[in-house]
Amino acid sequence: MTSFGGAEMVDWNLAVATATRLVRPGPEVSRDEAREVVAELRRHAKAAEEHVRAFTRMTQDQHRPDDTPVLVIDRPGWVRANVAGFRELLKPLLDKAKERRDATPGGAVLGAVGGKVTGVELGVLLSFLASRVLGQYETFAPVTRELPAGANGGGRLLLVAPNIVHVERELEADPHDFRLWVCLHEETHRTQFTAVPWLRDHLRGEIQSFLAATDMDPGAVLERLREAAQSLVGARPEGEADEDGRSLVELVQTPEQREILGRLTAVMSLLEGHADYVMDGVGPHVVPSVAEIREKFQQRRARGASRLDLALRRLLGLDAKLRQYRDGERFVRAVVEEVGMDGFNRVWTSPNTLPTKAEIAKPADWVARVHRRAE
């Protein structure tokens, strides 16, 4: 007999199974070549750590030793790692939703079915992303049997070997240079969180506040999802955004969530832009072909995609992520030019010194607020 009372809001196992079944195979490599790629990525990650810390002047917090693991994984491994992270981060929200669902007559039965549907949908989206992510610093990384994480609630650095090999071949880039270039970007993220002890908890708090502000009425959420889905279909030309340019994530927000999202967007723009700035700053000294790689990679980002690709990017808000790279990098560059690297590093002093969304667009306003107030 099947019991629905304990059914989760998301069937996580089904999400993993769906994603690993649908994800495309990686490029063909021999066993010896695969071993060589893994070994080189690990070496580059270690070298990148030294380069990034020297360039940024961000030092490790002595009270929180960094044992953040570097894991070189395949596409299914990336899926499993992210499902574990989602499961931990979303647990308070999903537990709250489950209590409300189970209190509704027939809710447990409908929820069991809904959990499987959601699991399949999540699996489809993860299979799309699993072939595109080159590397990732997993900030909220639960320890699993397969995937260790750092002590003191630390994260882990993931390098997705098949995707790195696929892109370096597509760009016809020097493999050794490209792998180190990728490691420089991801290592910057690891440095951000290991050198700034309050950053992880601050980001978690903002995300939890965002989730807590979610409208938990199933009917309202369903209606918003339908409106969002309808905004993704129609007769508009390929690649043209809907009128307000908002993603599904933005369309399902309450006013309180939009306010929190503004702060989260500013933080993410800072983190991504800082990583791009550091990658470009360190690159010319240690990556001989960095200029060629950067140009080709930017062209790859800007190239047109299929209609399905564009729809999924819009659905997931990935276009906004590309804007974060650009806007954040401009902010970091402008601030460093004005007040130097040590002056820029005041941004890591406390949550109050983080830039606002408006200041990301106007770096001089951040300099005026943080530096002139301190003088």
Side-chain angles (χ1 to χ4, degrees):
M1 180 179 293
T2 301
S3 172
F4 294 107
E8 292 191 74
M9 297 294 293
V10 179
D11 189 327
W12 299 106
N13 292 333
L14 185 56
V16 171
T18 301
T20 52
R21 186 177 70 251
L22 294 178
V23 71
R24 292 179 293 181
E28 291 187 11
V29 295
S30 68
R31 183 166 297 183
D32 288 343
E33 186 179 4
R35 288 197 192 98
E36 182 184 340
V37 170
V38 170
E40 183 172 30
L41 285 172
R42 286 177 177 152
R43 290 196 304 271
H44 282 333
K46 181 62 179 173
E49 179 182 4
E50 298 173 4
H51 294 313
V52 168
R53 291 194 185 280
F55 181 81
T56 63
R57 302 177 196 170
M58 297 175 72
T59 57
Q60 175 63 41
D61 178 13
Q62 296 179 351
H63 302 291
R64 294 178 59 143
D66 179 22
D67 61 347
T68 308
V70 176
L71 306 178
V72 182
I73 58 176
D74 59 10
R75 290 169 177 175
W78 182 87
V79 169
R80 289 190 290 272
N82 278 266
V83 165
F86 288 152
R87 192 170 190 168
E88 177 184 320
L89 195 60
L90 297 176
K91 189 177 187 303
L93 173 67
L94 296 179
D95 285 349
K96 181 179 175 183
K98 183 176 180 299
E99 288 177 10
R100 183 162 182 170
R101 180 202 70 190
D102 290 349
T104 304
V109 176
L110 292 174
V113 176
K116 291 189 179 300
V117 171
T118 306
V120 170
E121 292 173 340
L122 178 60
V124 171
L125 294 179
L126 286 171
S127 71
F128 168 78
L129 293 172
S131 61
R132 287 159 173 77
V133 176
L134 301 182
Q136 173 185 354
Y137 179 75
E138 202 182 2
T139 313
F140 310 107
V143 177
T144 68
R145 231 175 6 183
E146 181 185 6
L147 299 164
N152 303 307
R156 54 187 168 227
L157 183 61
L158 308 178
L159 297 170
V160 191
N163 296 349
I164 293 172
V165 172
H166 171 77
V167 175
E168 71 190 27
R169 289 179 178 178
E170 181 183 317
L171 299 182
E172 297 181 342
D174 179 280
H176 309 294
D177 285 5
F178 185 77
R179 293 166 195 174
L180 178 55
W181 188 73
V182 170
C183 288
L184 288 171
H185 183 99
E186 302 310 328
E187 181 56 44
T188 303
H189 287 315
R190 182 163 71 156
T191 296
Q192 290 163 347
F193 284 94
T194 57
V196 185
W198 54 264
L199 183 58
R200 180 179 183 273
D201 290 339
H202 172 71
L203 194 58
R204 177 188 283 275
E206 290 282 60
I207 293 171
Q208 295 293 1
S209 296
F210 179 86
L211 296 176
T214 300
D215 182 352
M216 295 304 297
D217 177 64
V221 172
L222 180 60
E223 183 59 31
R224 291 184 184 186
L225 287 171
R226 284 172 178 163
E227 291 173 1
Q230 290 168 4
S231 76
L232 297 177
V233 298
R236 72 175 68 89
E238 181 172 334
E240 182 180 322
D242 40 321
E243 289 180 6
D244 54 12
R246 293 185 297 172
S247 68
L248 173 59
V249 173
E250 293 169 297
L251 286 168
V252 298
Q253 283 158 23
T254 64
E256 184 180 355
Q257 283 179 303
R258 291 191 188 100
E259 182 179 337
I260 298 169
L261 182 74
R263 297 196 298 269
L264 278 170
T265 298
V267 174
M268 298 311 296
S269 296
L270 170 68
L271 298 179
E272 296 292 359
H274 183 236
D276 263 13
Y277 177 81
V278 172
M279 186 167 59
D280 286 348
V282 174
H285 303 288
V286 297
V287 182
S289 59
V290 65
E292 179 186 353
I293 290 174
R294 185 71 160 138
E295 182 180 358
K296 288 181 176 179
F297 197 77
Q298 290 289 62
Q299 291 173 354
R300 182 179 184 273
R301 276 182 181 173
R303 271 203 301 267
S306 69
R307 189 174 185 82
L308 174 62
D309 240 28
L310 291 165
L312 284 170
R313 285 181 186 179
R314 197 177 301 123
L315 178 73
L316 297 169
L318 296 183
D319 289 338
K321 185 174 178 64
L322 295 181
R323 288 195 298 274
Q324 286 173 5
Y325 283 107
R326 294 192 298 268
D327 296 346
E329 197 274 341
R330 280 195 294 265
F331 170 84
V332 176
R333 184 173 301 280
V335 171
V336 172
E337 287 177 356
E338 173 114 4
V339 296
M341 184 63 75
D342 291 335
F344 166 79
N345 280 340
R346 286 194 190 179
V347 78
W348 312 117
T349 304
S350 75
N352 292 330
T353 56
L354 290 172
T356 64
K357 189 176 179 181
E359 287 170 342
I360 288 287
K362 294 183 177 180
D365 290 354
W366 179 86
V367 172
R369 176 172 68 86
V370 173
H371 281 264
R372 290 174 193 165
R373 186 176 63 183
E375 290 173 354

